[in-house]
Amino acid sequence: MITFRGGIHPPEFKELAEEKPIEVMPCPKQVVIPLSQHTGAPAKPVVAVGDEVKAGTLIAEPVGMISAAVHSSIAGKVKGIEPWVHPVLPVPTKAVIIEAAETDELDPAIKPRTQAQIEKLSPEEIREIVRDAGIVGLGGAAFPTSVKITPPKDAAIDTLIINGAECEPFLTADDRLMREKPEGIINGARILAKVLGLERAFIAIEHNKPEAIRIVSEAASKVWPAAEVLTVRTKYPQGAEKQLISAILGREVPAGGLPFMVGVVVQNAGTAFAVYESVAKRKPLYERVVTVTGPGIAEPKNLLVRIGTLAADVISHCGGLTPSASKFISGGPMMGIAQASLEVPIIKGTSGLLFLDGSKRLFKISEEVNCLRCGHCVGICPMKLVPAEIARMAEYEKLEDAERWGIADCMECGSCAFVCPSGRRLVQWIKYGKMLIFAERSRKKERK
Ligand code: SF4
Ligand code: SF4
């Protein structure tokens, strides 16, 4: 079966939510929409306190090349534009706070295009639609999609991969979307292929999602047979772009490089769906599917949630926390970020809210001891790095050595720490090394 070199097989724990159909969460009374929810510059507000907005109204515009527009996710009144706790960034960042109106109304600009209108759109017009809709990669990286589908002119793109791997344990949002909205995803793939000048696309799904494979394959044969569903082996981190490209095409993205350098564009399945909605319905990205799961939540669910909804409101909608809940992670257990507040908002890149209680552990918690030189971490590193050495260099602040050994290529997937019998905090040391390197570079820049 199609796969990449290295990787691990953590317990999946998908059974908690995989059979829960997507449920629409009612509008909250208030949303907090950060201006920075994407890779690149924060968006600039175009509304002021007191302004009235509808769901889908533009509230902040992109700044510069790499940025993304932000829209209101509910109808209501802007109550404030102020710093708020953020699920990814370590400090509070500016957010637009909107108080809900009595009735939720859509912005009047949101109305469907006919099939004839859709077919007439040029690649440039589609890029503009995607940019104006504020679409970013929904797999977690939140890179602006309009930028990703505008590769450099000399990049010979020959393959589009729609990423339905969803390899993080516990998460099931993409699985449900593929099972419930396959036509939208396939039409999104067709639109993306048109923009890239391609005639076909691959849709890659891990083999632990047999229903999604069956449903998407059936839909593809009716909607756009040029979309070929590929079953990839269930293995973490199969959904990482470079690993998916290596598995499907046998092409290696160079160290520090990007997929377009080997002729490939990868888009998450949820992103393809958002692209379809932006083109077919003129709908900006103001809601997304989020898996709310883990032994610490009373009723695990897959929820369609308005961007800016606070985790606390989502928790109430899911029956509250269990008495034993002890840890809250935004995202999956491998690459997600532990949270210190239940007031964090759902942002465009939020694929899941995970509540743990000490059961269903992925890692054996053990005292950190000296490296045994067993080499397990080297054998499984999907980036072909030597995690034991890089982490040691970072620990002893031998930063030049760490850079030479490729610390920047580490995607912090956590696979090395997962297999380490010595309980070495490999990812923490690597993060620490990266932070020191970044600080050193900033100091040098300031001195210039
Ligand atoms: S070194 Fe980085 S990329 Fe390699 S397994 Fe560890 S966390 Fe993943
Ligand atoms: S897996 Fe752990 S003990 Fe083994 S070589 Fe890597 S760091 Fe050392």
Side-chain angles (χ1 to χ4, degrees):
M1 199 179 291
I2 299 169
T3 192
F4 64 97
R5 176 198 166 276
I8 56 170
H9 296 277
E12 293 170 20
F13 298 129
K14 302 229 184 213
E15 66 283 357
L16 291 174
E18 68 190 343
E19 294 311 324
K20 304 284 170 78
I22 297 168
E23 187 184 313
V24 179
M25 179 171 162
C27 268
K29 291 201 167 56
Q30 171 182 285
V31 288
V32 178
I33 306 177
L35 298 171
S36 182
Q37 346 180 4
H38 47 263
T39 305
K44 187 172 130 224
V46 294
V47 288
V49 174
D51 283 0
E52 294 200 347
V53 292
K54 309 263 191 253
T57 302
L58 180 76
I59 55 171
E61 59 187 16
V63 175
M65 256 293 285
I66 305 197
S67 184
V70 176
H71 300 78
S72 175
S73 56
I74 58 171
K77 196 182 257 190
V78 177
K79 200 173 121 189
I81 302 175
E82 52 196 66
W84 195 279
V85 58
H86 194 284
V88 175
L89 301 172
V91 289
T93 61
K94 252 194 191 166
V96 179
I97 303 164
I98 301 170
E99 205 164 49
E102 298 264 298
T103 49
D104 187 41
E105 281 176 53
L106 283 186
D107 192 278
I110 300 174
K111 49 179 187 246
R113 283 189 172 88
T114 62
Q115 194 52 35
Q117 284 173 325
I118 295 172
E119 273 159 26
K120 262 199 223 139
L121 292 169
S122 69
E124 206 29 66
E125 285 169 325
I126 296 171
R127 284 192 186 101
E128 223 168 274
I129 290 167
V130 169
R131 193 192 58 222
D132 292 348
I135 297 174
V136 302
L138 298 187
F143 192 83
T145 303
S146 61
V147 180
K148 217 169 162 191
I149 56 176
T150 315
K153 290 217 165 27
D154 57 351
I157 302 297
D158 61 17
T159 309
L160 167 66
I161 300 174
I162 302 300
N163 184 354
E166 198 170 49
C167 60
E168 271 271 4
F170 286 99
L171 302 188
T172 55
D174 286 349
D175 183 12
R176 288 311 313 183
L177 195 67
M178 290 189 288
R179 284 154 78 172
E180 296 180 40
K181 304 280 179 191
E183 291 88 3
I185 293 170
I186 292 157
N187 277 317
R190 174 149 61 168
I191 292 165
L192 290 164
K194 177 177 174 177
V195 174
L196 297 165
L198 302 176
E199 302 285 326
R200 60 177 197 148
F202 293 127
I203 302 180
I205 308 176
E206 277 192 341
H207 82 286
N208 63 354
K209 304 175 189 65
E211 271 303 278
I213 292 169
R214 183 183 66 75
I215 292 169
V216 177
S217 303
E218 269 177 31
S221 67
K222 288 183 201 137
V223 176
W224 187 45
E228 186 183 345
V229 175
L230 297 177
T231 304
V232 292
R233 183 183 291 276
T234 302
K235 185 165 70 168
Y236 179 83
Q238 183 66 82
E241 284 190 342
K242 292 181 182 179
Q243 280 57 47
L244 207 52
I245 294 169
S246 165
I248 294 173
L249 302 168
R251 298 180 196 168
E252 301 299 326
V253 179
L258 293 168
F260 76 77
M261 294 172 175
V262 294
V264 186
V265 169
V266 181
Q267 292 288 350
N268 167 266
T271 314
F273 184 69
V275 166
Y276 161 71
E277 292 212 304
S278 72
V279 171
K281 302 183 183 169
R282 294 184 171 89
K283 181 180 166 190
L285 181 58
Y286 63 76
E287 59 186 358
R288 67 155 297 152
V289 181
V290 178
T291 304
V292 188
T293 187
I297 189 85
E299 298 163 25
K301 290 178 192 281
N302 294 291
L303 282 181
L304 183 64
V305 186
R306 304 290 175 106
I307 302 295
T309 303
L310 300 185
D313 291 333
V314 177
I315 292 167
S316 308
H317 184 73
C318 295
L321 297 175
T322 60
S324 58
S326 56
K327 189 166 185 180
F328 166 30
I329 294 172
S330 176
M334 299 299 290
M335 292 190 77
I337 298 175
Q339 302 294 315
S341 165
L342 299 181
E343 297 297 302
V344 285
I346 301 293
I347 60 172
K348 294 176 185 179
T350 309
S351 47
L353 301 184
L354 174 60
F355 300 93
L356 298 172
D357 69 352
S359 65
K360 296 197 185 296
R361 279 185 194 282
L362 289 182
F363 289 80
K364 281 185 237 94
I365 308 291
S366 57
E367 192 87 347
E368 186 173 20
V369 295
N370 286 341
C371 170
L372 300 170
R373 308 241 157 227
C374 66
H376 290 341
C377 57
V378 183
I380 56 76
C381 175
M383 295 305 293
K384 304 189 178 77
L385 300 172
V386 185
E389 280 305 306
I390 297 176
R392 190 183 57 77
M393 289 163 187
E395 184 177 355
Y396 291 100
E397 301 189 6
K398 297 192 168 177
L399 303 182
E400 281 179 17
D401 290 347
E403 281 195 271
R404 256 201 315 279
W405 283 63
I407 192 170
D409 284 324
C410 168
M411 59 173 156
E412 300 173 14
C413 69
S415 301
C416 49
F418 179 81
V419 295
C420 178
S422 297
R424 294 273 294 143
R425 311 287 188 249
L426 295 163
V427 186
Q428 280 96 326
W429 286 122
I430 290 172
K431 276 180 191 269
Y432 176 69
K434 284 184 181 175
M435 188 194 73
L436 292 182
I437 290 167
F438 181 76
E440 181 57 28
R441 279 201 197 133
S442 310
R443 267 198 300 277
K444 276 188 187 154
K445 244 191 212 162
E446 273 168 25
R447 281 202 293 268
K448 272 186 190 167

